[in-house]
Amino acid sequence: MRAQASARRFHLTDALIAGARAVPAVWAGAWGVLIYLAGVAAAGPLLRPEGAAAWVQTGAVVLGALAAWGAANRIVIFGHEARHHGLGPAGLQVRGAELAMIAAAALNLIFLAMILAVLALVALALFGMAELDVAAIQARDWSAVGPPWRLAVLALVGAIVLAVPVLLTVRLALFTQATVGRGQPVSLNTLGIGEGSFWRLTILLVLVFAPLAGLVVLAGRGPVEGAAAAVAIAGLWLPFAAGAMGAAYRGLEYWTREGGVP
């Protein structure tokens, strides 16, 4: 039975603490795939492969990231039962959960693309009917662009066009955790998991992905910095992110099964 959204909550502090605690736990169960991912990711900025070698290196990183993310989520969600849910030796596996995550990601991307296309068409139609003064826009003479009420309507439409994808992205953010936890592809059904926790999830996503953004910026400064950032992402950020997101998922999940979650 689905629990009421008001009864399903997670605390930001607890989720962040769970993320920190997940780092050693994920390393204990998935050390092999983390070392592999760190190695192939660091090889890119250090060796700078070109042509076919670059494609091979990129594929190796993607494969390693998929296996590592699947392993980390199994460990975080199932704990000591992770091996019964497909965790391979040292976290080296690409099995049903990894393929299900790919399928769920593809479905979510198709859904978001359709929503964006509809919103873009509506916005373009409204902006076209507004009959704004193009010359005034180019000259940045905003007082001559058009009536204030018309500009206000267009601003509201623009805000909606920007807000809807953000809202949906946040509500869908736990789809990989739900896919691993339920043992099947979970795409749009993830919207129900995040119901009633939009702002908490938004803040959690900002706090979790801010360090990743910083590491990506560091990676652009040079080959040594890029290699160090790759190792930090694979060895520290990925387990932390899996732990924090997994804690949020366990607090919000309403679906149960024998031996499953929560």
Side-chain angles (χ1 to χ4, degrees):
M1 180 180 295
R2 176 170 174 172
Q4 294 293 329
S6 59
R8 295 183 282 113
R9 287 288 185 271
F10 74 93
H11 297 287
L12 282 169
T13 303
D14 293 342
L16 295 174
I17 292 174
R21 290 177 175 174
V23 175
V26 172
W27 266 99
W31 57 270
V33 72
L34 293 179
I35 291 175
Y36 165 80
L37 177 59
V40 295
L46 289 177
L47 302 178
R48 297 183 179 180
E50 298 180 355
W55 285 103
V56 171
Q57 191 267 339
T58 300
V61 171
V62 172
L63 183 63
L66 178 64
W69 189 244
N73 278 284
R74 285 182 178 92
I75 293 169
V76 168
I77 294 171
F78 297 111
H80 296 297
E81 301 295 321
R83 290 200 178 276
H84 297 295
H85 295 273
L87 178 67
L92 294 164
Q93 80 293 301
V94 175
R95 297 176 177 170
E98 284 74 23
L99 298 178
M101 285 192 290
I102 294 174
L107 291 172
N108 283 339
L109 287 174
I110 292 172
F111 170 69
L112 290 173
M114 292 172 61
I115 295 297
L116 285 172
V118 172
L119 290 173
L121 289 174
V122 172
L124 287 174
L126 290 175
F127 273 81
M129 292 186 297
E131 297 180 351
L132 301 179
D133 191 328
V134 177
I137 295 175
Q138 294 175 341
R140 297 184 180 181
D141 184 4
W142 305 116
S143 60
V145 170
W149 68 266
R150 193 175 297 174
L151 296 177
V153 171
L154 294 178
L156 178 61
V157 171
I160 293 174
V161 169
L162 294 175
V164 170
V166 172
L167 173 63
L168 293 174
T169 300
V170 171
R171 292 279 298 275
L172 292 169
L174 298 176
F175 80 92
T176 54
Q177 287 74 29
T179 295
V180 172
R182 298 187 184 186
Q184 60 189 22
V186 181
S187 55
L188 298 186
N189 287 340
T190 315
L191 293 170
I193 297 175
E195 182 181 356
S197 298
F198 171 78
W199 291 112
R200 293 189 185 194
L201 276 175
T202 301
I203 296 172
L204 179 65
L205 290 172
V206 171
L207 294 176
V208 167
F209 284 91
L212 177 62
L215 290 170
V216 171
V217 172
L218 175 64
R221 294 185 177 179
V224 176
E225 291 87 346
V231 171
I233 290 172
L236 295 175
W237 179 84
L238 188 148
F240 166 76
M245 300 293 285
Y249 165 70
R250 292 183 65 87
L252 296 174
E253 177 62 286
Y254 57 84
W255 183 87
T256 60
R257 68 176 179 183
E258 185 177 355
V261 291

